[in-house]
Amino acid sequence: MNFSVRLPYVGGMSKVSLIFSSSLVLLALFGVASPYEENTLPANVIFEVVFFASALLLVSRLDRLAMLFCICSVVYITVCYALMILYKPADALDFFQAYKSFVYVVPLSLFMGKKLFTSKSLSVLFVVLLCLFAIKYGYSRLLNLAPRMSERPGLFTENNFELVLLILVFYLVSPFLKNRVYFLIALSGVVFLSGSRSSLVGLIVVCAFIYFERLDAKSILGLMLVSVITFGAFSIFQQRMESGGGLESIDRFRFLMVFIEETGSWSWYHYLFGSQPLTPLSSFSCGFLSYYQTLFSYSGDGSCYSVILHSYLLRAIFDHGVAGLAFLLTFVYCGLVKAGYQKKQVMCCFGVILATSLSVSALNSIYVAIALGIAFSFRPDEAV
């Protein structure tokens, strides 16, 4: 279905892009003014509301491909919820946590093929956000006002999540930035200040796709910059290992060991389709990961689910199987292709998302959902 309903524009910007940009900048300002925590406002909840409310403005222009993904996702969520209630009743919030990426497919499908963001508006948004990130991360490290912020500063939430948004937006606007290398250096500085390993990997992916298409002076400069970033990433990894006692002390390695233990008796169809809807981890695994009690079940009964494994790849395979993960990746691919991106750009976006999927929630994160909403609706005639 493709109705000829024009989206309202305000001052050359679509209403949705104006809402997105305003909410990001406004909450970022509150983050800068929050020296003892990431943000005095519940940024995650506000972004969820803004994201879904913005999608409602696009509901009258849903094409057939988008509708197909939307219907498949709704059917899958409904069937899984019914099976969960029937066989293993659990808290609805736990279910939402496990199936959030499929919930996001519904509003994201409404962004597919739209023309909401221009290179100018998105470039301005990136520069403003970069400055605010640099201010918050910089003074948090320098002034040491709060232990948590001095070690892992954040503007909206934990920096593992929010930096994925900043990195992806940088890649989208990078062809339109004058003196792009200076912005990349500034972004690299922000990522280094964050101490986020997953963000460093995502940044390296972006640098590789930007500079290594051909060998010239810019590519050589890019290679030097990537080398510096890679060295910095290695230093952070090494520092974490030395301070904590080796590979076994790295939390992501422990999550992998728990995943292997939980899936050791699986048959092939479990890997293909995942576990029964909202299957809890064993009491041994929950006890082994008791340090992360904030990620235990909302029911308060001491049980825990795949969300405690942090890594989205592990969580997706455990809950939805390879087939479920393939559906989500296919959706992202179709959304980017429909927007008009070249193969190289699509692969870079995939690279950043998959790199962060090894460590954090990726497609289950509102920040990745916002980044994809922007990418899906970036003007295709300008996305070159």
Side-chain angles (χ1 to χ4, degrees):
M1 284 192 305
N2 198 344
F3 299 100
S4 57
V5 178
R6 289 186 174 274
L7 291 172
Y9 281 76
V10 180
M13 295 178 66
S14 74
K15 184 173 288 187
V16 172
S17 67
L18 186 61
I19 293 172
F20 264 42
S21 300
S22 300
S23 60
L24 283 166
V25 172
L26 183 61
L27 283 172
L29 289 172
F30 272 94
V32 170
S34 307
Y36 303 107
E37 57 186 330
E38 286 94 354
N39 207 298
T40 54
L41 297 179
N44 293 355
V45 175
I46 293 174
F47 282 138
E48 296 272 5
V49 173
V50 168
F51 180 60
F52 282 92
S54 298
L56 290 176
L57 297 176
L58 310 172
V59 73
S60 62
R61 300 184 64 185
L62 185 64
D63 64 30
R64 292 179 180 178
L65 180 62
M67 180 177 290
L68 177 62
F69 279 110
C70 184
I71 292 174
C72 288
S73 188
V74 170
V75 170
Y76 177 67
I77 294 169
T78 303
V79 170
C80 288
Y81 188 78
L83 290 174
M84 183 271 288
I85 294 296
L86 185 61
Y87 294 104
K88 290 185 177 180
D91 194 288
L93 290 177
D94 290 320
F95 180 87
F96 177 75
Q97 280 278 63
Y99 287 78
K100 189 187 290 187
S101 53
F102 288 89
V103 174
Y104 285 149
V105 168
V106 178
L108 277 174
S109 64
L110 299 172
F111 285 84
M112 290 177 65
K114 304 300 190 303
K115 299 179 180 181
L116 306 177
F117 291 87
T118 66
S119 60
K120 182 178 179 180
S121 64
L122 197 56
S123 296
V124 171
L125 176 61
F126 167 73
V127 172
V128 172
L129 287 179
L130 179 62
C131 291
L132 295 175
F133 268 92
I135 293 171
K136 178 63 181 291
Y137 284 25
Y139 84 66
S140 294
R141 287 285 197 177
L142 182 63
L143 300 181
N144 193 21
L145 298 175
R148 180 180 175 186
M149 288 295 97
S150 63
E151 294 178 3
R152 296 294 298 273
L155 187 67
F156 302 119
T157 187
E158 183 182 335
N159 55 41
N160 279 334
F161 302 96
E162 62 188 16
L163 284 175
V164 181
L165 169 62
L166 189 65
I167 290 170
L168 284 174
V169 171
F170 166 73
Y171 181 67
L172 295 179
V173 301
S174 60
F176 313 105
L177 295 173
K178 293 182 179 179
N179 301 315
R180 176 177 59 187
V181 67
Y182 297 117
F183 289 103
L184 180 55
I185 292 172
L187 177 60
S188 301
V190 168
V191 173
F192 277 125
L193 287 172
S194 74
S196 169
R197 293 168 291 183
S198 60
S199 298
L200 275 169
V201 175
L203 182 61
I204 291 171
V205 170
V206 166
C207 288
F209 274 90
I210 287 178
Y211 286 107
F212 297 155
E213 185 176 13
R214 59 186 183 278
L215 187 62
D216 53 19
K218 289 185 178 180
S219 297
I220 294 173
L221 180 61
L223 178 60
M224 294 172 63
L225 186 57
V226 171
S227 299
V228 172
I229 295 173
T230 304
F231 177 77
F234 175 79
S235 299
I236 290 177
F237 275 81
Q238 186 69 18
Q239 183 180 17
R240 294 280 187 90
M241 290 181 66
E242 289 178 353
S243 63
L247 185 63
E248 294 78 6
S249 65
I250 298 178
D251 50 8
R252 269 55 182 180
F253 178 79
R254 299 173 69 194
F255 300 147
L256 176 60
M257 293 300 99
V258 170
F259 174 81
I260 293 174
E261 175 67 24
E262 290 289 328
T263 59
S265 60
W266 274 17
S267 300
W268 66 268
Y269 54 85
H270 287 113
Y271 286 101
L272 184 59
F273 300 111
S275 59
Q276 187 173 318
L278 211 61
T279 297
L281 303 186
S282 67
S283 57
F284 173 81
S285 294
C286 293
F288 183 67
L289 300 175
S290 59
Y291 176 78
Y292 304 95
Q293 278 194 343
T294 55
L295 295 177
F296 275 29
S297 171
Y298 286 98
S299 64
D301 60 2
S303 60
C304 67
Y305 297 92
S306 66
V307 64
I308 204 170
L309 299 176
H310 288 67
S311 166
Y312 183 74
L313 286 180
L314 300 183
R315 294 170 57 183
I317 293 174
F318 187 86
D319 288 326
H320 315 293
V322 175
L325 180 60
F327 171 84
L328 293 170
L329 295 179
T330 301
F331 169 71
V332 173
Y333 175 82
C334 291
L336 293 173
V337 169
K338 192 170 183 62
Y341 295 98
Q342 299 173 4
K343 182 178 180 181
K344 170 189 165 184
Q345 295 170 307
V346 174
M347 291 301 101
C348 183
C349 292
F350 263 93
V352 174
I353 293 173
L354 291 177
T356 57
S357 294
L358 297 172
S359 179
V360 292
S361 59
L363 294 173
N364 246 44
S365 165
I366 183 58
Y367 297 94
V368 171
I370 290 174
L372 288 176
I374 293 173
F376 286 2
S377 56
F378 190 40
R379 288 186 180 274
D381 56 326
E382 294 185 333
V384 296

